[in-house]
Amino acid sequence: MVKANLTVISDFIFLGFTPYPKVEVIIFVLCLLMYLITLLGNIILISITILDSHLHKPMYFFLSNLSFLDIWYTSSALTPMLTNFVSGKNTISFSGCATQMYFSLAMGSTECVLLSTMAYDRYVAICNPLRYPIIMNKRVCVQIAAGSWMTGCLTALVETVSVLQLSLCGSSIINHFTCEILAVLKLVCVDTSRVQLIMLVISVLLLPMPMLLICVSYAFILSNILRISSVDGGSKAFSTCAAHLTVVVLFYGTALSMYLKPSAVDSQEIDKFMALVYAGLTPMLNPIIYSLRNKEVKAAVKKLLIRNPLCAFLIPHRKS
């Protein structure tokens, strides 16, 4: 068997959803809609968070980070696929593939950490409100956010470099719509046990552990709210927590099923659709679930519309 170093290959070919031409068109339309809604929702959230002084709080600081992150995350995963579909070229250069792999891993890993810190922020705010301004001061918030970004970027760098140092068997066809690390790893013809061990350790640190922290935080939050609020208040709190946890389960659940499944299980076609969920669907739902349903955010949007009526054509809103 002839072995070829990864750097020798100049271009990769995405198989994507080409075996299913009818489904491919539907997926393109859905991905385009998800991408546009993600951009619009997250740009609106970042803008009003900056413009409205009432939203200069730790919660919205973290939400702005999440929105900025989701814009880059979705762009790195979906933009190349949408561009290739329109142009009819399902190819990407080696450097482009390496860059795409790194950014997708970095943004995804950062989001894993950031979502858990957001849950901790809400836990402190609701369960320990008197000490909240002291615990979650501006300096701490910046350090937490910076730590999340550094963790995501460094772990992505380790994984990307580990894979790019391996050798291929001469094939340049990636059975995916993006340079997803597991799909690229299938092209390798040498022993991958060391890389798989690295990925396993990182996956355990970034997936089940943050998800467990989020679930525990929301359990304490819900318990605390139910003890002090009325029936209606408890119902609203449960609804909010359920909505947040639904997005969390979608994001972490699909990622867990991909990165922590047994190596003997080969489900590349299913993996493609799961990648669409955590790289396309959850970034679209995040601003809707976490922010645009929030009373303070709605009030900030109304202020912005009153100050600048032209924004009414850009910001979707419902009649009360």
Side-chain angles (χ1 to χ4, degrees), residues 23-43:
V23 177
E24 188 178 25
V25 176
I26 297 174
I27 291 174
F28 169 78
V29 174
L30 291 176
C31 287
L32 180 60
L33 288 174
M34 285 193 296
Y35 182 58
L36 294 176
I37 294 172
T38 299
L39 287 181
L40 181 62
N42 286 297
I43 289 174

Side-chain angles (χ1 to χ4, degrees), residues 228-278:
I228 62 176
S229 63
S230 61
V231 176
D232 290 338
S235 178
K236 290 180 180 178
F238 180 80
S239 175
T240 300
C241 289
H244 289 188
L245 288 175
T246 299
V247 178
V248 166
V249 170
L250 277 174
F251 179 76
Y252 285 99
T254 50
L256 278 167
S257 64
M258 283 187 60
Y259 290 98
L260 290 180
K261 69 175 182 291
S263 57
V265 178
D266 187 8
S267 55
Q268 194 62 40
E269 300 303 319
I270 297 177
D271 286 352
K272 295 177 190 178
F273 288 98
M274 288 187 175
L276 289 176
V277 172
Y278 67 73

Side-chain angles (χ1 to χ4, degrees), residues 3 51 59 94 98 117 143 147 157 164 195 209 263 286 289:
K3 296 181 182 180
L51 295 174
M59 174 183 175
F94 164 75
T117 60
Q143 290 175 341
L157 183 63
L164 295 181
V195 176
M209 291 181 66
S263 57
N286 280 337
I289 297 298

